[in-house]
Amino acid sequence: MPNFIASSIKGLNLPFKKDNVEFLKIAKGRNIDFLLTKSGNEEFFIAIKEKDNKFVIKGEKLTRPAKVGLLQKALEVFKDEFCDGILSEAFAVKKNSLTQNKDIIKSEKEALEELNLAKFDEICIEVGFGSGRHLLYQALTNPNSLFLGIEIYKPAIEQVAKLAIKEGLENIILTNGDARVFLSLANSNTIFKIYLHFPVPWDDSPHRRVISAEFLKEVQRVLKKEAKFELRSDSRAYVDFSVIKFLDMDEVEISVYKNRNLEVSSKYEDRWKRQDKDIYDVILTNYQISLNLDKDNEMEFDKLNPRKIALNFKNETHKFSDFFVHFEDIYKFSDDEILLKLSFGGFDTAENRFIYICNESSSYFINKPLKTEKNLKAHQKIGELLKQWQI
Ligand SMILES: C[S@@+](CC[C@H](N)C(=O)[O-])C[C@H]1O[C@@H](n2cnc3c(N)ncnc32)[C@H](O)[C@@H]1O
């Protein structure tokens, strides 16, 4: 994450605009302030933390823009205009990261929209593409299909985007996030193939595995009839675990292969092959046609009173059978404009979000949570709890 440390901040009069970067307003917290920033067409916070008479300045994690170059540019402007005594800095504005990656790296919302455009014959998804060798190979050899790579580890996204640009690939998009959540939002009966190659086996904590009954329910829902989900793994324990889960599904066919050679070998695969490990493929073919998602719920809030909520705010957690809500912190733009930080949702797929509350309206800030079943339940609870604080 790009950042720098300054010994002082001077003359921060807001709003301020320079070089396509705007600093709009600042929310003050107990330990950290958030500067609302617009760079290019993205909005995000710059986090300013004072410690031992020094200021650590960096992008705020939850609102970090998909294009890291926009954040780097904003930090550069902030440093030049408002900071003195730069003690250290760890960022550089790379010309390419501002523009070149922009068509390939998508937010989850943009990626979902892209899947609905039907510009390609088929849509294929790779979950956790890592170094991207397999994803790039598939995109290169199937120019009429769109390949969406979903990766939870951000640096892999930037790296693979660069490689895709170098290859001139126009049928690949990448999104940063948890594939388990992403699939629960994609439209039913739309995907031709889902690859899951060498997932982390999590032998000691199977609940953290990508594959679960819940995930497979979403896989089957989004796959077209006769479309395939492909697991490739060196972990016999993971394969056994997965086959048992596959056998619980209706209207599927399961094929298992051992030591099958593919045209492309990933970094992990090379490592296991050098160690003479067996590699398994389990391929699930779906024969079910699924119902469409109900997308009506808009995740909005009734009118809220910022002063009363600020007065009654408590750092507290509410646990329910399959979801939770945790109120983490409060920040103030002014007495009539506040920001709450929360985490909520499923125990394994928690989301972190801000809620912006002013007298006129309240909403998630900057992005809405993904509309998963558990987030919807949590959202309803958050609305109820906030109303209680207004009494
Ligand atoms: C062991 S690596 C394998 C990478 C690549 N598929 C390969 O074969 O070289 C597992 C990858 O999955 C990613 N990952 C783990 N859980 C994920 C999730 N829930 N959603 C998306 N990516 C995930 C990790 O960040 C990591 O890059």
Side-chain angles (χ1 to χ4, degrees):
M1 175 77 93
N3 68 80
F4 65 93
I5 301 176
S7 55
S8 68
I9 294 180
K10 51 159 200 223
L12 184 56
N13 291 321
L14 301 175
F16 172 89
K17 187 172 180 184
K18 189 185 172 193
D19 290 351
N20 222 7
V21 173
E22 284 178 75
F23 301 123
L24 300 165
K25 53 187 176 181
I26 195 157
K28 301 236 165 232
R30 282 175 305 140
N31 304 313
I32 193 160
D33 298 340
F34 295 132
L35 175 63
L36 181 59
T37 302
K38 203 168 171 200
S39 178
N41 56 358
E42 295 210 45
E43 272 192 323
F44 51 89
F45 287 125
I46 286 180
I48 304 172
K49 185 171 178 149
E50 186 179 0
K51 202 177 169 204
D52 305 329
N53 293 324
K54 287 183 292 198
F55 294 87
V56 180
I57 297 152
K58 58 185 178 187
E60 188 283 324
K61 265 201 319 226
L62 298 184
T63 56
R64 191 182 129 126
K67 292 139 208 161
V68 72
L70 296 175
L71 168 62
Q72 289 173 327
K73 175 79 195 162
L75 288 174
E76 184 84 27
V77 172
F78 189 76
K79 177 172 72 96
D80 292 346
E81 295 294 324
F82 301 112
C83 299
D84 271 341
I86 304 305
L87 302 169
S88 73
E89 62 179 74
F91 66 93
V93 180
K94 291 186 199 120
K95 286 186 194 82
N96 292 351
S97 56
L98 272 179
T99 51
Q100 286 201 340
N101 290 349
K102 82 167 188 268
D103 293 333
I104 290 192
I105 302 177
K106 306 275 182 197
S107 68
E108 284 162 311
K109 194 164 158 265
E110 287 168 338
L112 285 164
E113 284 164 7
E114 189 90 6
L115 297 191
N116 297 334
L117 292 181
K119 284 197 290 196
F120 291 88
D121 292 352
E122 299 293 357
I123 300 168
C124 305
I125 294 181
E126 179 156 352
V127 171
F129 54 79
S131 66
R133 271 198 220 167
H134 176 262
L135 183 67
L136 292 163
Y137 172 83
Q138 288 294 348
L140 202 63
T141 45
N142 298 284
N144 297 328
S145 297
L146 175 68
F147 286 83
L148 163 65
I150 310 171
E151 177 52 68
I152 213 159
Y153 181 58
K154 237 174 190 160
I157 303 252
E158 294 277 337
Q159 194 55 34
V160 175
K162 278 187 200 131
L163 295 172
I165 289 163
K166 213 165 142 196
E167 294 283 353
L169 290 169
E170 292 187 353
N171 59 334
I172 191 164
I173 55 174
L174 308 173
T175 194
N176 175 229
D178 187 332
R180 296 172 297 180
V181 176
F182 186 92
L183 281 194
S184 69
L185 300 160
N187 280 337
S188 306
N189 314 302
T190 51
I191 309 299
F192 179 65
K193 214 159 199 187
I194 300 175
Y195 301 99
L196 175 64
H197 284 190
F198 301 94
V200 184
W202 292 116
D203 285 336
D204 296 331
S205 12
H207 68 279
R208 298 185 70 176
R209 289 174 174 163
V210 170
I211 289 188
S212 66
E214 212 177 357
F215 173 75
L216 292 174
K217 200 173 109 196
E218 299 303 335
V219 164
Q220 185 164 31
R221 186 184 58 72
V222 302
L223 283 179
K224 290 177 160 182
K225 190 173 177 207
E226 297 185 26
K228 294 184 194 309
F229 171 72
E230 187 177 304
L231 166 70
R232 187 165 173 83
S233 176
D234 59 289
S235 161
R236 179 61 194 264
Y238 200 126
V239 168
D240 288 349
F241 163 89
S242 303
V243 169
I244 289 170
K245 297 263 180 281
F246 292 170
L247 289 168
D248 286 338
M249 298 168 75
D250 291 328
E251 297 187 65
V252 293
E253 186 181 281
I254 303 161
S255 319
V256 182
Y257 303 87
K258 190 169 167 181
N259 296 328
R260 197 171 63 139
N261 259 326
L262 299 187
E263 297 91 338
V264 61
S265 177
S266 81
K267 248 185 175 170
Y268 278 85
E269 183 163 347
D270 284 350
R271 185 192 299 171
W272 305 139
K273 278 183 178 158
R274 280 197 297 275
Q275 294 175 15
D276 275 337
K277 282 187 94 177
D278 288 327
I279 290 173
Y280 304 89
D281 286 292
V282 189
I283 297 177
L284 182 93
T285 309
N286 169 52
Y287 288 96
Q288 195 168 77
I289 297 177
S290 300
L291 293 175
N292 286 330
L293 274 184
D294 172 11
K295 290 191 172 171
D296 287 343
N297 196 322
E298 274 314 318
M299 287 203 175
E300 279 159 2
F301 294 103
D302 292 339
K303 242 179 172 187
L304 296 167
N305 181 322
R307 286 182 188 242
K308 284 194 177 160
I309 288 179
L311 200 66
N312 295 315
F313 179 89
K314 281 188 279 308
N315 174 317
E316 59 183 30
T317 305
H318 300 259
K319 284 190 185 165
F320 303 91
S321 61
D322 59 349
F323 71 99
F324 75 100
V325 172
H326 172 58
F327 290 91
E328 196 177 310
D329 221 331
I330 181 165
Y331 307 85
K332 285 186 176 185
F333 290 107
S334 70
D335 284 344
D336 291 313
E337 236 188 329
I338 62 170
L339 196 65
L340 305 184
K341 191 173 179 195
L342 291 90
S343 53
F344 54 86
F347 297 106
D348 298 331
T349 52
E351 287 236 33
N352 297 284
R353 284 286 181 273
F354 291 108
I355 299 175
Y356 169 79
I357 300 172
C358 70
N359 289 313
E360 290 73 41
S361 65
S362 303
S363 59
Y364 289 101
F365 198 74
I366 292 164
N367 300 313
K368 280 190 183 181
L370 299 170
K371 277 190 222 166
T372 63
E373 197 184 326
K374 287 171 191 163
N375 285 353
L376 286 166
K377 285 189 199 170
H379 167 75
Q380 195 184 351
K381 231 357 146 201
I382 292 166
E384 287 168 22
L385 293 164
L386 288 175
K387 273 195 184 160
Q388 285 175 18
W389 280 344
Q390 300 197 119
I391 297 163

